[in-house]
Amino acid sequence: MSALTPDCDPDMSHCGQPWQGRGKPGSGLLSVMVLVAVLGLSLLVVTKDVVADAFDFVAVPVGLLAAVALGRRAVRLAGRGVSAVAARMPGAVAVRRSQPAG
């Protein structure tokens, strides 16, 4: 990546494409499963006395961050669903975003 090609990958395979949608198929599901596992593990650490209470100071913020990330994903997914349903309604007007020149 250089100053002349700020939006290109180092191998120049994705030059000028938007950042979203470039992941492998199913990679979003894997990250959701990891976040759910982290949230469950942190809840287990906090609610059970399996480990020392000192781990609660680490488990609570980690669990909160995982919950916030999952919440943001849920809101984004719901927004995509609403926009997809709205786009299929009769008489709907498509919103076109401007693209940068270049």
Side-chain angles (χ1 to χ4, degrees):
M1 188 183 295
S2 71
L4 297 176
T5 57
D7 59 344
C8 295
D9 285 348
D11 62 353
M12 302 295 279
S13 63
H14 297 296
C15 195
Q17 294 180 359
W19 289 101
Q20 290 82 16
R22 280 202 236 164
K24 296 178 184 175
S27 62
L29 181 63
L30 178 64
S31 64
V32 167
M33 294 304 293
V34 168
L35 285 171
V36 168
V38 166
L39 180 61
L41 186 64
S42 65
L43 286 174
L44 184 70
V45 167
V46 171
T47 58
K48 301 293 180 182
D49 290 330
V50 177
V51 294
D53 290 336
F55 284 106
D56 289 350
F57 293 113
V58 174
V60 169
V62 168
L64 286 175
L65 290 174
V68 167
L70 283 170
R72 290 182 67 187
R73 285 178 180 263
V75 168
R76 187 172 59 219
L77 183 63
R80 286 181 184 171
V82 167
S83 68
V85 168
R88 288 197 168 91
M89 295 184 92
V93 177
V95 176
R96 298 186 184 257
R97 296 183 180 169
S98 63
Q99 298 292 325

